[in-house]
Amino acid sequence: MATEQNEQIQDLEKDQAEQTQVDTEQAALTVESLQEQIAQLEGDLKLEKARTANAVYEAQKSVERIQRESEKHKDTVLEKFAKELLDSVDNLERAISAVGEDKTAFSEGVELTLKSLLTTLEKFGVVAVDTANGFNADLHQAVGIAPEAKANEIGTVLQKGYSLNGRLLRPAMVLVGA
């Protein structure tokens, strides 16, 4: 009986040792598998971070492109509007020159209207092209020869030219000396 008990105790100790070895192997396998999963998840996280950064970059570029297109459209609309207003400026200047030296309340009203319109245009970047410093093919359009003017100088301004924020809106039509 004592031997049977000893055998049973030995069997129990043996079973416990085997179970401990199996548990240790499972723990080792579990740690290794967990480390693999961690490595896989870290790789997935890096990939998703890169995708997110790329998406943010693309969104910023889209916003910048839309802003550029919006500014370009705004400039185009302002340019068209300003060109249409230049006809009114020309007509008011013709009316003032037709009156001549006779100053009346009507002619003074026309002058004030012209001044107000030019001030408003200047607020939005529309300014008259300089014709005092000689002929410049980029700013002036020569439509004839002025015999009294020196070579390469502007003799007569037939129609004022205007620029919008540094860009030529309409060239000045001038007579140039030969």
Side-chain angles (χ1 to χ4, degrees):
M1 188 153 144
T3 46
E4 262 182 45
Q5 285 180 349
N6 283 342
E7 286 178 14
Q8 285 179 349
I9 291 173
Q10 286 176 355
D11 285 342
L12 281 174
E13 287 176 354
K14 187 178 178 182
D15 287 343
Q16 284 178 349
E18 289 175 359
Q19 184 64 33
T20 304
Q21 185 179 4
V22 168
D23 287 345
T24 304
E25 288 174 3
Q26 284 180 350
L29 289 176
T30 305
V31 169
E32 289 174 5
S33 66
L34 288 176
Q35 287 175 342
E36 288 175 10
Q37 285 180 345
I38 289 172
Q40 178 66 33
L41 290 173
E42 285 175 346
D44 291 347
L45 180 63
K46 285 180 184 178
L47 179 65
E48 292 304 319
K49 281 183 177 181
R51 286 181 180 163
T52 302
N54 190 33
V56 168
Y57 174 79
E58 290 296 325
Q60 288 173 341
K61 289 298 179 186
S62 293
V63 167
E64 290 171 4
R65 181 182 47 81
I66 289 169
Q67 287 174 342
R68 280 192 312 270
E69 289 175 0
S70 173
E71 285 296 317
K72 185 177 179 181
H73 180 70
K74 183 179 83 172
D75 290 344
T76 303
V77 169
L78 182 59
E79 183 175 323
K80 287 179 182 179
F81 183 68
K83 279 184 179 179
E84 292 296 321
L85 285 178
L86 292 181
D87 290 336
S88 298
V89 170
D90 293 339
N91 290 333
L92 290 171
E93 286 176 344
R94 282 188 206 106
I96 291 169
S97 65
V99 170
E101 296 297 320
D102 300 331
K103 295 290 181 184
T104 64
F106 178 75
S107 66
E108 288 179 15
V110 172
E111 287 176 8
L112 288 174
T113 303
L114 175 62
K115 183 178 178 184
S116 173
L117 181 57
L118 289 174
T119 302
T120 301
L121 287 172
E122 285 177 10
K123 283 182 187 177
F124 291 94
V126 178
V127 293
V129 171
D130 179 31
T131 55
N133 293 325
F135 181 75
N136 181 346
D138 294 331
L139 302 174
H140 309 118
Q141 180 179 356
V143 294
I145 297 174
E148 75 279 354
K150 295 179 183 176
N152 209 26
E153 286 190 8
I154 296 173
T156 306
V157 177
L158 301 175
Q159 185 182 43
K160 285 184 178 179
Y162 290 91
S163 64
L164 172 65
N165 296 325
R167 248 184 13 223
L168 187 64
L169 194 59
R170 179 178 81 183
M173 292 176 41
V174 297
L175 297 177
V176 182

